[in-house]
């Protein structure tokens, strides 16, 4: 199967805000759009220990608390609902 590779691109001034925006793009691509995706994250990209906490949350709980605003969540639910309905899944 074809997988997309998602990797953050560190730039000068890259912070938690940029990391959270990258995580949003990653999760929207993999979950909202249903595109098989690999998240490639290396030890050299850990410029803030909180990055690891967020990745740990994704691995253990499947989410990063308070990453998405309520209106963003509603958009994601609509995207996933449409794909689930097309696949014949119940609501």
């Amino acid at each position: 199967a074809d997988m997309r590779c998602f990797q953050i691109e560190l730039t000068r001034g890259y912070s938690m805000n940029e990391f959270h925006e990258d995580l949003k793009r990653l999760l929207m691509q993999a979950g909202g759009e249903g595109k098989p995706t690999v998240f490639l994250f290396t030890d050299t990209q850990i410029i803030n220990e909180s990055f690891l906490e967020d990745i740990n949350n994704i691995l253990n709980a499947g989410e990063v608390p308070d990453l998405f605003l309520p209106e963003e969540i509603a958009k994601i639910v609509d995207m996933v609902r449409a794909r689930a309905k097309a696949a014949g899944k119940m609501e």
Side-chain angles (χ1 to χ4, degrees):
D2 289 330
M3 301 286 269
R4 292 174 182 242
C5 183
F6 187 96
Q7 190 169 13
I8 64 172
E9 189 174 321
L10 295 178
T11 58
R12 183 185 280 293
Y14 192 90
S15 67
M16 282 303 292
N17 288 337
E18 287 79 15
F19 184 66
H20 281 165
E21 288 302 314
D22 281 340
L23 285 181
K24 284 181 178 184
R25 287 189 308 119
L26 166 66
L27 295 172
M28 286 294 290
Q29 177 178 304
E33 299 170 15
K35 297 177 180 169
T37 305
V38 172
F39 180 35
L40 184 58
F41 187 73
T42 66
D43 60 343
T44 60
Q45 294 171 315
I46 306 169
I47 58 173
N48 185 329
E49 288 295 316
S50 296
F51 290 7
L52 289 179
E53 290 176 30
D54 286 346
I55 291 172
N56 188 51
N57 279 327
I58 291 171
L59 294 173
N60 288 314
E63 68 175 330
V64 176
D66 302 320
L67 181 64
F68 291 99
L69 298 172
E71 51 274 0
E72 292 172 316
I73 292 173
K75 178 182 175 186
I76 295 166
V77 168
D78 288 342
M79 293 171 73
V80 173
R81 181 177 287 135
R83 285 201 347 270
K85 193 175 251 183
K89 305 292 183 191
M90 301 292 286
E91 276 195 52

